[in-house]
Amino acid sequence: MIEVSWAADDKKAILFSFQGDWDASTLQTACKESGRLLRDHDRRCHFILDFTNNEGFLPQDALTIFHQASHQITIQVGLIVIVTVRTTLARRIAHTLSRLGVTSLHPRLIFANSVGEALYATGSLNSMAAV
């Protein structure tokens, strides 16, 4: 399951919360929901992909699915923050995206250990005390 919502009241970031099992269809639905949020919002905003509650689950073709989804990312999207404490997952995502040639995302792709840290990185929170 993937829940999609605004990450904070200031609407500077959209939060994708990955929980348990998910697949390409689930991610496609989540992307459509984020697209709806973006269309209703006239400012640039960031994506936060939170993997802290998915119990380590990634479908076998997850990175290919992310690669396909990356083609839908518009200029309206700023940073893409991947939240995980699993450094192997972070390295695997970054390595695979570079192998797949998704170089346009590299300057915008960062990693964080918590949603609070991600919010701070995107400017949604103005104080490190919230991290």
Side-chain angles (χ1 to χ4, degrees), residues 15-83:
L15 176 64
F16 293 76
S17 181
F18 291 78
Q19 301 175 7
D21 295 353
W22 59 275
D23 58 16
S25 174
T26 308
L27 183 60
Q28 185 177 33
T29 300
C31 288
K32 285 180 183 177
E33 177 61 17
S34 70
R36 185 189 65 74
L37 294 174
L38 282 172
R39 280 189 300 279
D40 293 342
H41 190 65
D42 60 352
R43 295 185 328 204
R44 187 173 196 179
C45 66
H46 311 285
F47 282 174
I48 299 173
L49 285 66
D50 181 13
F51 289 96
T52 56
N53 293 321
N54 80 329
E55 301 163 0
F57 176 81
L58 282 179
Q60 188 169 4
D61 57 348
L63 296 172
T64 302
I65 294 168
F66 285 131
H67 180 245
Q68 292 166 349
S70 72
H71 295 295
Q72 299 173 16
I73 294 174
T74 67
I75 192 72
Q76 193 176 354
V77 177
L79 293 174
I80 300 166
V81 185
I82 297 176
V83 179

Side-chain angles (χ1 to χ4, degrees), residues 3 6 13 16 44 101 117 120 126:
E3 292 181 8
W6 288 110
F16 293 76
R44 187 173 196 179
E117 188 178 299
Y120 184 76
N126 297 321

